[in-house]
Amino acid sequence: MDDYNPTWQKIQTRIDTAMAEHPLDTAVPPVVFPGKPADIAYDVELYAQMEKAAQTIPAFDRELLLSHTGWSQIPLLGTVLQKMQRGLHNIALFYTNRALQHQQTVNWQLWQALGRVTAVTQQQQRTIETLQAQLAIMNQPERE
């Protein structure tokens, strides 16, 4: 479309004015799990999956767990081997914990985003139902 077209400019001005006069109420509080709505229809499978996801998102932080081997009983060599084993495992755990903490952060951000999208969808569904009811009232033939 041509932005210099006066008709288009008039339409855009009217749209901007109408949007300024009737702002959309899309603000919802921060949400982790919006809960099942009691006043509107909802997708049962979505809420079942959200509840399951909330229960299965793990809290990562692995600790060092070493089993004692026969080598640890050798007086001098056992101590050296245990320290080497502990050191190597600590290096692996450091990088593993770092990667898992990043993944946990991503999981929770996605979970919160899904909860927020669900809450906004609930709010929009309520608005749609209200507008449909108003439209049905306006379209009823007047009784005399």
Side-chain angles (χ1 to χ4, degrees):
M1 292 193 172
D2 186 8
D3 288 336
Y4 299 107
N5 185 343
T7 306
W8 176 249
Q9 288 176 348
K10 288 178 186 177
I11 292 170
Q12 187 63 47
T13 303
R14 291 175 85 183
I15 291 171
D16 292 340
T17 304
M19 289 180 72
E21 290 174 358
H22 306 288
L24 295 175
D25 182 20
T26 58
V28 292
V31 170
V32 174
F33 181 69
K36 296 177 183 175
D39 58 336
I40 58 174
Y42 63 92
D43 183 3
V44 175
E45 185 65 26
L46 171 67
Y47 287 92
Q49 289 294 327
M50 288 178 71
E51 287 175 3
K52 185 176 179 181
Q55 295 167 359
T56 58
I57 292 178
F60 297 116
D61 196 14
R62 303 296 178 238
E63 295 181 15
L64 185 61
L65 179 63
L66 295 175
S67 60
H68 294 287
T69 62
W71 291 98
S72 62
Q73 303 302 325
I74 300 174
L76 188 57
L77 185 60
T79 305
V80 171
L81 288 175
Q82 270 187 325
K83 286 185 180 186
M84 281 181 45
Q85 182 185 25
R86 185 175 300 277
L88 291 173
H89 278 83
N90 277 331
I91 290 171
L93 277 176
F94 170 77
Y95 288 106
T96 301
N97 282 337
R98 199 165 99 180
L100 290 176
Q101 286 172 354
H102 172 72
Q103 185 62 49
Q104 182 181 20
T105 301
V106 169
N107 289 349
W108 278 108
Q109 288 174 347
L110 290 172
W111 169 249
Q112 289 177 345
L114 179 62
R116 185 156 180 82
V117 166
T118 304
V120 168
T121 303
Q122 287 176 1
Q123 188 173 10
Q124 289 174 346
Q125 185 62 36
R126 288 182 183 100
T127 302
I128 288 169
E129 289 179 4
T130 302
L131 292 173
Q132 285 175 337
Q134 290 174 358
L135 187 61
I137 292 170
M138 290 174 53
N139 288 333
Q140 285 180 353
E142 291 189 29
R143 297 180 184 174
E144 294 182 30

